[in-house]
Amino acid sequence: MAIDPTIPDSDADLCSTFQTRTVSMSSDSSPNSQAQSNTPGTVADADKNSTSETSNDGRSRESTVPAACLACRSKHLKCDGQTPCARCVGTQSECVYVASRRGYKGPRRGASQNPNKRQATSPPDETSGVSDCPMLLGARTGSSTNMPSIVEGSFAPPDVAPRTPLHTPLHTPSGAQFAPHQHPSNAELYKSYCAINEVDPASWVVNGVGNRVPSRSPALALEDKCLESFYYNFHASHPFVLPKPFLLQVSKEPSTQPLLSAIRWIGSIFLGIGVRERERLFNEALGLIYHQQRSKHGFLIQAMMLLIVGLDGNCQQEKARAILKDVEAMALELGLHTRDFATNHGRGIPVLEESWRRTWWDLYVIDGMIAGVHRATNFLLFDMAAGAALPCEEEQYLAARISIPLYLEDLEDQDFSGEDREFSSFAYRVLCARNLGKLMRTPPILGPDDENLTKIETLLTNWRLHLPQSKRDALQKNGKLDEMMFQAHMMNQATSIMLHQPHSRLDSSPTHDINSCAPHQAIPSGDLFNAHTRHTIQSANSISSMITHRVPLLSHTHFFTCVVTLSSIVHLSRWALFFIPHDDDDLRQQVRLNIGALNRLSEVWGAADRAREQVKAVAQEIYKVKRQQRSNSQFWLGLSPEDMLNTIATDDSIINEIENFETMPNLLS
């Protein structure tokens, strides 16, 4: 099979024009771009559609339709109200209707144009889609333009529509370059208001007086919905694929077809579509990835990485490891880890070069997390001398404002170089994966006082101590989630448990049946708590506290499932101990919290569904043992009657709640 490390077919043309265009998207004078860039439903447009029109002879005639499509609105032309309208059919434009913000009350006979009507002052919307979030559309009626807007295309899962080709309005023909993307929506930078508050962004729009009215946006085709779902639900947790506007510009190239198929399958995981349809999407992606005439290139590596994550989250761990083995060999064969790969295959486009750097380092992190949580692989990529530069911050990537790249040696030597450099959250995530790899390469630790154990703990502690103030929490000052730092802290705490738990005094035998993520590890009990027990408990508590962040749990990587399961094993081991104070309500609440998180994650990920059932079963068994112990008078020694009643009531309420957790309809089953 011939190895073509470059992007096939259209590279020769695209590489001939490396200079970045400086014309903004809003200055595009073509009819299609105007239809996409102008703000739909401005006050002036709404007025022209909601009042009667006056003819040249002075007679007033009624408007034929209550609203015009976006393309006709943007050019101030009359629309016939059909779907699509005749004018869009003639110009081959996308025909989209959005309800007016002022609200339509029907035509008024004999009304004339009011010369005192306020004109819209908001600048044209520079995204390719329409924000459907109620909070965001409402903000556009005022002068403020700082309110975040929802991701382009505004994902929401409407009913499945017949399959149509993927729309690519930003597609650039061969010989052109990426269109500039100078003003991305804030939902590309962060999870939108709608996502965090679980608002269905396509169900409502906001009229001029702040009332919510049903949206008239037509349903998307299945492939389009899956693409929107991918960027809305998944991209932020593994952000190596090009931002959506730039991916659409190369979506017609043959080299991107396996990637687009993998994206559709990942997006379908979050949608309530049929099993057969999802299987069709998966088989289509797998067939393109392993096609006999495939060429090996970066987009193919990205497609394989998406399949690895999706399969692993669907309990298909053996299939995921088989693809992981293939993609590791391909990445090393193409030199994805080398310093020059991004430059040589980036077409002179900074955002594409950044995507290649992120592809290597996300593959590195995925390899490490699979090895850490399943303990069935050995983190092959850890031993490779990688020269690829570290990724930049997420908002820089999504806005295509790529900073001068730094390297791993800069990060590891930052305390000794004397240079004050700022590293991205992605870079600290890579460093956590490095520490996990060093633990896995440590010779067998013979006891709790082994110097190798001390060396790894020093690495973990130094990582926490030397974090910049802005990186010490996964939540930023504005309350937005930094998913890269979330995963970094998650890996740091999980590595600490893996290091200290074998040398703690927490008997793991009660949790023998929890093996959904990794085989059971036998840990003997001891008489007293030691330092390793304290480390283990503190790390398990820190993982549980990460669940309490006010962001959707499904926005995290699915690997969080196994980290929560690891934390649950520690909590249940403690709960089974006899010498734990009987009124330790905090511990019982931690168990409830973890089961609740697994219950939520199980709505999408089959691995979480399996882990939840195992954790629930162990919790019920421990509770039965504790209930039998109540007949022993020594069990209540030192407790007042009030404490006894509170203990019984708390245990009963918790176990009843655990037993009554309804099995969520797992979308992958």
Side-chain angles (χ1 to χ4, degrees), residues 234-240 358 362 365 391-394 424-430 432 463 471 474 476 481-491 556-557:
F234 182 86
H235 184 261
S237 61
H238 292 278
F240 55 86
R358 286 168 168 265
D362 213 277
V365 172
C392 63
E393 292 286 8
E394 302 311 296
S424 67
S425 299
F426 202 132
Y428 287 105
R429 174 179 178 240
V430 169
C432 271
W463 183 88
K471 307 292 185 185
Q476 302 171 344
L481 173 70
D482 186 340
E483 176 64 19
M484 294 297 95
M485 284 310 302
F486 182 92
Q487 293 185 25
H489 286 286
M490 174 191 82
M491 281 191 284
H556 302 311
T557 177

Tab-separated table of all heavy atoms in Angstrom, residues 234-240 358 362 365 391-394 424-430 432 463 471 474 476 481-491 556-557:
chain	number	residue	atom	x	y	z
A	234	PHE	N	-19.157	16.767	21.631
A	234	PHE	CA	-17.956	15.947	21.745
A	234	PHE	C	-16.659	16.687	21.496
A	234	PHE	O	-15.647	16.411	22.149
A	234	PHE	CB	-18.059	14.776	20.765
A	234	PHE	CG	-16.895	13.811	20.823
A	234	PHE	CD1	-16.894	12.765	21.741
A	234	PHE	CD2	-15.797	13.941	19.985
A	234	PHE	CE1	-15.829	11.887	21.810
A	234	PHE	CE2	-14.732	13.068	20.041
A	234	PHE	CZ	-14.745	12.028	20.956
A	235	HIS	N	-16.641	17.616	20.573
A	235	HIS	CA	-15.380	18.189	20.093
A	235	HIS	C	-14.545	18.788	21.216
A	235	HIS	O	-13.317	18.663	21.219
A	235	HIS	CB	-15.667	19.252	19.027
A	235	HIS	CG	-14.439	19.838	18.399
A	235	HIS	ND1	-13.898	21.047	18.794
A	235	HIS	CD2	-13.633	19.376	17.407
A	235	HIS	CE1	-12.840	21.309	18.064
A	235	HIS	NE2	-12.642	20.311	17.218
A	236	ALA	N	-15.178	19.428	22.183
A	236	ALA	CA	-14.421	20.097	23.247
A	236	ALA	C	-13.653	19.121	24.123
A	236	ALA	O	-12.640	19.486	24.715
A	236	ALA	CB	-15.368	20.933	24.112
A	237	SER	N	-14.095	17.863	24.215
A	237	SER	CA	-13.419	16.893	25.086
A	237	SER	C	-12.200	16.271	24.421
A	237	SER	O	-11.294	15.795	25.116
A	237	SER	CB	-14.392	15.794	25.510
A	237	SER	OG	-14.878	15.085	24.393
A	238	HIS	N	-12.160	16.246	23.093
A	238	HIS	CA	-10.983	15.775	22.346
A	238	HIS	C	-10.805	16.688	21.140
A	238	HIS	O	-11.120	16.323	20.003
A	238	HIS	CB	-11.159	14.316	21.921
A	238	HIS	CG	-11.161	13.354	23.066
A	238	HIS	ND1	-10.008	12.882	23.656
A	238	HIS	CD2	-12.192	12.801	23.769
A	238	HIS	CE1	-10.320	12.069	24.649
A	238	HIS	NE2	-11.636	12.013	24.747
A	239	PRO	N	-10.275	17.898	21.360
A	239	PRO	CA	-10.328	18.951	20.340
A	239	PRO	C	-9.152	18.917	19.367
A	239	PRO	O	-8.316	19.822	19.354
A	239	PRO	CB	-10.309	20.225	21.185
A	239	PRO	CG	-9.483	19.848	22.376
A	239	PRO	CD	-9.756	18.394	22.646
A	240	PHE	N	-9.091	17.896	18.530
A	240	PHE	CA	-8.012	17.842	17.541
A	240	PHE	C	-8.527	18.026	16.120
A	240	PHE	O	-7.779	18.450	15.238
A	240	PHE	CB	-7.244	16.523	17.654
A	240	PHE	CG	-8.097	15.286	17.552
A	240	PHE	CD1	-8.413	14.725	16.336
A	240	PHE	CD2	-8.579	14.668	18.707
A	240	PHE	CE1	-9.192	13.588	16.254
A	240	PHE	CE2	-9.362	13.526	18.625
A	240	PHE	CZ	-9.672	12.985	17.389
A	358	ARG	N	-2.182	18.955	17.566
A	358	ARG	CA	-3.178	18.448	18.506
A	358	ARG	C	-3.489	16.976	18.243
A	358	ARG	O	-3.768	16.231	19.187
A	358	ARG	CB	-4.470	19.269	18.384
A	358	ARG	CG	-4.356	20.647	18.988
A	358	ARG	CD	-5.517	21.550	18.618
A	358	ARG	NE	-5.472	22.740	19.468
A	358	ARG	CZ	-6.149	22.880	20.596
A	358	ARG	NH1	-6.961	21.917	20.997
A	358	ARG	NH2	-6.033	23.963	21.329
A	362	ASP	N	-3.181	14.485	21.305
A	362	ASP	CA	-4.406	13.853	21.788
A	362	ASP	C	-4.311	12.343	21.645
A	362	ASP	O	-4.809	11.601	22.502
A	362	ASP	CB	-5.631	14.378	21.038
A	362	ASP	CG	-6.872	14.414	21.921
A	362	ASP	OD1	-7.529	13.374	22.052
A	362	ASP	OD2	-7.157	15.467	22.508
A	365	VAL	N	-2.414	11.281	24.636
A	365	VAL	CA	-3.232	11.269	25.849
A	365	VAL	C	-4.209	10.090	25.827
A	365	VAL	O	-4.405	9.414	26.849
A	365	VAL	CB	-3.976	12.611	26.000
A	365	VAL	CG1	-4.985	12.543	27.145
A	365	VAL	CG2	-2.985	13.744	26.244
A	391	PRO	N	0.176	22.096	21.922
A	391	PRO	CA	-0.994	22.853	21.442
A	391	PRO	C	-1.142	24.180	22.167
A	391	PRO	O	-0.641	24.385	23.279
A	391	PRO	CB	-2.169	21.929	21.750
A	391	PRO	CG	-1.574	20.561	21.861
A	391	PRO	CD	-0.216	20.777	22.460
A	392	CYS	N	-1.879	25.088	21.523
A	392	CYS	CA	-2.169	26.390	22.113
A	392	CYS	C	-3.465	26.308	22.921
A	392	CYS	O	-4.043	25.243	23.089
A	392	CYS	CB	-2.290	27.446	21.011
A	392	CYS	SG	-3.655	27.147	19.855
A	393	GLU	N	-3.934	27.434	23.419
A	393	GLU	CA	-5.184	27.461	24.180
A	393	GLU	C	-6.373	27.213	23.247
A	393	GLU	O	-6.307	27.467	22.049
A	393	GLU	CB	-5.359	28.815	24.879
A	393	GLU	CG	-4.365	29.085	25.996
A	393	GLU	CD	-4.640	28.285	27.259
A	393	GLU	OE1	-5.515	27.388	27.237
A	393	GLU	OE2	-3.978	28.560	28.275
A	394	GLU	N	-7.471	26.753	23.818
A	394	GLU	CA	-8.632	26.372	23.017
A	394	GLU	C	-9.230	27.565	22.279
A	394	GLU	O	-9.598	27.457	21.104
A	394	GLU	CB	-9.697	25.733	23.905
A	394	GLU	CG	-9.222	24.510	24.658
A	394	GLU	CD	-8.513	23.526	23.751
A	394	GLU	OE1	-9.165	22.990	22.844
A	394	GLU	OE2	-7.303	23.315	23.919
A	424	SER	N	-0.483	26.350	27.645
A	424	SER	CA	-1.918	26.118	27.506
A	424	SER	C	-2.401	25.032	28.461
A	424	SER	O	-1.612	24.238	28.997
A	424	SER	CB	-2.246	25.719	26.066
A	424	SER	OG	-1.693	24.447	25.775
A	425	SER	N	-3.700	24.963	28.643
A	425	SER	CA	-4.294	23.893	29.439
A	425	SER	C	-4.024	22.539	28.802
A	425	SER	O	-3.808	21.542	29.506
A	425	SER	CB	-5.803	24.126	29.570
A	425	SER	OG	-6.076	25.338	30.227
A	426	PHE	N	-4.044	22.488	27.484
A	426	PHE	CA	-3.742	21.245	26.770
A	426	PHE	C	-2.333	20.777	27.128
A	426	PHE	O	-2.087	19.579	27.307
A	426	PHE	CB	-3.872	21.477	25.262
A	426	PHE	CG	-4.093	20.229	24.455
A	426	PHE	CD1	-5.099	20.182	23.504
A	426	PHE	CD2	-3.303	19.109	24.621
A	426	PHE	CE1	-5.319	19.034	22.748
A	426	PHE	CE2	-3.509	17.957	23.863
A	426	PHE	CZ	-4.509	17.920	22.939
A	427	ALA	N	-1.381	21.726	27.265
A	427	ALA	CA	-0.005	21.362	27.597
A	427	ALA	C	0.084	20.731	28.984
A	427	ALA	O	0.797	19.740	29.192
A	427	ALA	CB	0.893	22.596	27.517
A	428	TYR	N	-0.658	21.277	29.963
A	428	TYR	CA	-0.649	20.681	31.304
A	428	TYR	C	-1.340	19.317	31.306
A	428	TYR	O	-0.993	18.445	32.109
A	428	TYR	CB	-1.320	21.635	32.295
A	428	TYR	CG	-0.463	22.846	32.612
A	428	TYR	CD1	-0.767	24.094	32.083
A	428	TYR	CD2	0.658	22.736	33.426
A	428	TYR	CE1	0.022	25.203	32.353
A	428	TYR	CE2	1.458	23.840	33.707
A	428	TYR	CZ	1.139	25.074	33.166
A	428	TYR	OH	1.934	26.154	33.433
A	429	ARG	N	-2.299	19.137	30.427
A	429	ARG	CA	-2.924	17.821	30.254
A	429	ARG	C	-1.900	16.814	29.722
A	429	ARG	O	-1.846	15.660	30.175
A	429	ARG	CB	-4.101	17.976	29.290
A	429	ARG	CG	-4.812	16.707	28.864
A	429	ARG	CD	-5.950	17.095	27.939
A	429	ARG	NE	-6.711	15.986	27.405
A	429	ARG	CZ	-6.834	15.722	26.110
A	429	ARG	NH1	-6.202	16.485	25.221
A	429	ARG	NH2	-7.570	14.720	25.690
A	430	VAL	N	-1.077	17.234	28.776
A	430	VAL	CA	-0.018	16.362	28.259
A	430	VAL	C	0.961	15.994	29.366
A	430	VAL	O	1.395	14.835	29.487
A	430	VAL	CB	0.715	17.052	27.087
A	430	VAL	CG1	1.978	16.284	26.703
A	430	VAL	CG2	-0.208	17.180	25.881
A	432	CYS	N	0.368	15.723	32.528
A	432	CYS	CA	-0.251	14.721	33.398
A	432	CYS	C	-0.161	13.336	32.778
A	432	CYS	O	0.072	12.345	33.482
A	432	CYS	CB	-1.710	15.082	33.651
A	432	CYS	SG	-1.948	16.143	35.072
A	463	TRP	N	3.408	18.910	40.052
A	463	TRP	CA	2.473	19.355	39.019
A	463	TRP	C	1.417	20.266	39.634
A	463	TRP	O	1.079	21.306	39.066
A	463	TRP	CB	1.815	18.137	38.362
A	463	TRP	CG	0.890	18.491	37.243
A	463	TRP	CD1	1.202	18.656	35.928
A	463	TRP	CD2	-0.519	18.753	37.355
A	463	TRP	NE1	0.078	18.996	35.210
A	463	TRP	CE2	-0.994	19.063	36.057
A	463	TRP	CE3	-1.429	18.752	38.413
A	463	TRP	CZ2	-2.325	19.354	35.801
A	463	TRP	CZ3	-2.751	19.050	38.155
A	463	TRP	CH2	-3.188	19.353	36.867
A	471	LYS	N	-4.905	28.014	36.412
A	471	LYS	CA	-5.067	26.614	36.038
A	471	LYS	C	-5.340	25.705	37.237
A	471	LYS	O	-5.452	24.493	37.072
A	471	LYS	CB	-3.799	26.105	35.337
A	471	LYS	CG	-3.343	26.941	34.156
A	471	LYS	CD	-4.287	26.858	32.984
A	471	LYS	CE	-3.760	27.607	31.777
A	471	LYS	NZ	-4.712	27.631	30.651
A	474	ALA	N	-10.590	23.632	37.362
A	474	ALA	CA	-11.112	23.385	36.013
A	474	ALA	C	-12.155	24.412	35.617
A	474	ALA	O	-12.475	24.533	34.433
A	474	ALA	CB	-11.703	21.981	35.932
A	476	GLN	N	-13.064	28.288	35.194
A	476	GLN	CA	-12.411	29.572	35.056
A	476	GLN	C	-13.135	30.625	35.873
A	476	GLN	O	-14.186	30.380	36.452
A	476	GLN	CB	-12.366	29.966	33.572
A	476	GLN	CG	-11.639	28.952	32.702
A	476	GLN	CD	-11.795	29.226	31.228
A	476	GLN	OE1	-12.669	29.992	30.814
A	476	GLN	NE2	-10.956	28.604	30.420
A	481	LEU	N	-16.252	26.067	31.894
A	481	LEU	CA	-15.434	24.883	32.109
A	481	LEU	C	-14.224	24.906	31.200
A	481	LEU	O	-14.330	25.167	30.004
A	481	LEU	CB	-16.251	23.618	31.838
A	481	LEU	CG	-15.452	22.302	31.858
A	481	LEU	CD1	-15.021	21.978	33.279
A	481	LEU	CD2	-16.264	21.166	31.266
A	482	ASP	N	-13.060	24.613	31.763
A	482	ASP	CA	-11.841	24.375	31.003
A	482	ASP	C	-11.669	22.860	30.944
A	482	ASP	O	-11.123	22.247	31.855
A	482	ASP	CB	-10.648	25.045	31.689
A	482	ASP	CG	-9.363	24.955	30.870
A	482	ASP	OD1	-9.284	24.080	29.976
A	482	ASP	OD2	-8.438	25.745	31.125
A	483	GLU	N	-12.190	22.240	29.881
A	483	GLU	CA	-12.208	20.783	29.786
A	483	GLU	C	-10.809	20.185	29.791
A	483	GLU	O	-10.593	19.095	30.333
A	483	GLU	CB	-12.962	20.353	28.524
A	483	GLU	CG	-12.959	18.855	28.254
A	483	GLU	CD	-13.677	18.023	29.302
A	483	GLU	OE1	-14.494	18.589	30.052
A	483	GLU	OE2	-13.428	16.804	29.365
A	484	MET	N	-9.838	20.881	29.215
A	484	MET	CA	-8.471	20.348	29.198
A	484	MET	C	-7.892	20.298	30.618
A	484	MET	O	-7.248	19.313	30.993
A	484	MET	CB	-7.588	21.197	28.289
A	484	MET	CG	-7.966	21.152	26.810
A	484	MET	SD	-7.802	19.517	26.046
A	484	MET	CE	-9.481	18.871	26.192
A	485	MET	N	-8.150	21.322	31.420
A	485	MET	CA	-7.676	21.285	32.806
A	485	MET	C	-8.508	20.305	33.625
A	485	MET	O	-7.994	19.682	34.562
A	485	MET	CB	-7.738	22.680	33.433
A	485	MET	CG	-6.628	23.615	32.988
A	485	MET	SD	-4.956	22.921	33.105
A	485	MET	CE	-4.824	22.510	34.839
A	486	PHE	N	-9.783	20.158	33.306
A	486	PHE	CA	-10.606	19.152	33.981
A	486	PHE	C	-9.982	17.771	33.797
A	486	PHE	O	-9.815	17.011	34.763
A	486	PHE	CB	-12.023	19.178	33.424
A	486	PHE	CG	-12.963	18.212	34.089
A	486	PHE	CD1	-13.736	18.594	35.164
A	486	PHE	CD2	-13.066	16.901	33.641
A	486	PHE	CE1	-14.603	17.698	35.789
A	486	PHE	CE2	-13.927	15.992	34.246
A	486	PHE	CZ	-14.693	16.398	35.328
A	487	GLN	N	-9.617	17.441	32.571
A	487	GLN	CA	-9.016	16.137	32.316
A	487	GLN	C	-7.640	16.019	32.959
A	487	GLN	O	-7.246	14.939	33.404
A	487	GLN	CB	-8.926	15.892	30.810
A	487	GLN	CG	-10.273	15.743	30.136
A	487	GLN	CD	-10.153	15.390	28.660
A	487	GLN	OE1	-9.160	14.827	28.224
A	487	GLN	NE2	-11.172	15.729	27.884
A	488	ALA	N	-6.906	17.131	33.007
A	488	ALA	CA	-5.586	17.092	33.641
A	488	ALA	C	-5.709	16.788	35.132
A	488	ALA	O	-5.014	15.911	35.662
A	488	ALA	CB	-4.872	18.427	33.416
A	489	HIS	N	-6.605	17.494	35.831
A	489	HIS	CA	-6.810	17.220	37.259
A	489	HIS	C	-7.357	15.806	37.460
A	489	HIS	O	-6.983	15.122	38.426
A	489	HIS	CB	-7.772	18.247	37.852
A	489	HIS	CG	-7.173	19.606	38.046
A	489	HIS	ND1	-6.279	19.881	39.063
A	489	HIS	CD2	-7.325	20.763	37.355
A	489	HIS	CE1	-5.915	21.158	39.005
A	489	HIS	NE2	-6.532	21.712	37.973
A	490	MET	N	-8.227	15.381	36.576
A	490	MET	CA	-8.781	14.026	36.648
A	490	MET	C	-7.668	12.983	36.581
A	490	MET	O	-7.622	12.039	37.384
A	490	MET	CB	-9.771	13.833	35.503
A	490	MET	CG	-10.334	12.444	35.342
A	490	MET	SD	-11.240	12.253	33.776
A	490	MET	CE	-9.859	11.958	32.651
A	491	MET	N	-6.747	13.142	35.632
A	491	MET	CA	-5.639	12.189	35.491
A	491	MET	C	-4.687	12.255	36.675
A	491	MET	O	-4.170	11.226	37.129
A	491	MET	CB	-4.878	12.459	34.189
A	491	MET	CG	-5.552	11.905	32.961
A	491	MET	SD	-4.472	11.953	31.494
A	491	MET	CE	-4.561	13.695	31.112
A	556	HIS	N	-17.999	15.995	29.337
A	556	HIS	CA	-16.656	15.501	29.627
A	556	HIS	C	-16.304	14.304	28.745
A	556	HIS	O	-17.184	13.642	28.183
A	556	HIS	CB	-16.543	15.081	31.097
A	556	HIS	CG	-16.845	16.183	32.072
A	556	HIS	ND1	-16.278	17.435	31.978
A	556	HIS	CD2	-17.655	16.220	33.156
A	556	HIS	CE1	-16.728	18.194	32.966
A	556	HIS	NE2	-17.561	17.485	33.686
A	557	THR	N	-15.017	14.013	28.676
A	557	THR	CA	-14.584	12.798	28.006
A	557	THR	C	-15.189	11.581	28.696
A	557	THR	O	-15.396	11.579	29.916
A	557	THR	CB	-13.053	12.694	28.021
A	557	THR	OG1	-12.655	11.448	27.420
A	557	THR	CG2	-12.509	12.762	29.427
